[in-house]
Amino acid sequence: CGGISLDGATEGSPYQAEVKRTMLKNSKKRLLLCDSSKLNKTCLCKIADFSDFDYLITDSEIPTKLKELILQSGCEILS
């Protein structure tokens, strides 16, 4: 994704966002991959809420408020 924030997962391109939403609809396990440069960043187009993902995979610690929101949504965090 292009960024994750309290608003959910976002992408800068409407075309990429649509492709990713289609992939989510057709997936049995839904993974969100986000490196530390994308944390607390919001891009132009929303992909999905955290409740639409099974797992978030990241390379660093997520800020507390964002982490709480993600975990409350039922999305598991792997780092």
Side-chain angles (χ1 to χ4, degrees), residues 56-73:
L56 167 64
I57 301 171
T58 188
D59 64 341
S60 68
E61 188 63 30
I62 298 171
T64 303
K65 190 172 183 178
L66 183 58
K67 184 176 183 176
E68 289 172 358
L69 176 70
I70 293 167
L71 293 174
Q72 287 174 359
S73 75

Side-chain angles (χ1 to χ4, degrees), residues 6-25:
L6 297 176
D7 296 324
T10 57
E11 183 62 62
S13 162
Y15 303 108
Q16 287 293 320
E18 185 58 34
V19 167
K20 292 174 183 181
R21 284 191 290 269
T22 300
M23 290 170 59
L24 279 171
K25 289 179 191 174

Side-chain angles (χ1 to χ4, degrees), residues 2 5 10 22 31-32 34 41 46 48-49 54 67 71 73:
S5 66
T10 57
T22 300
L31 299 118
L32 174 60
C34 176
K41 180 179 177 184
K46 185 167 183 175
D49 293 316
D54 298 306
K67 184 176 183 176
L71 293 174
S73 75

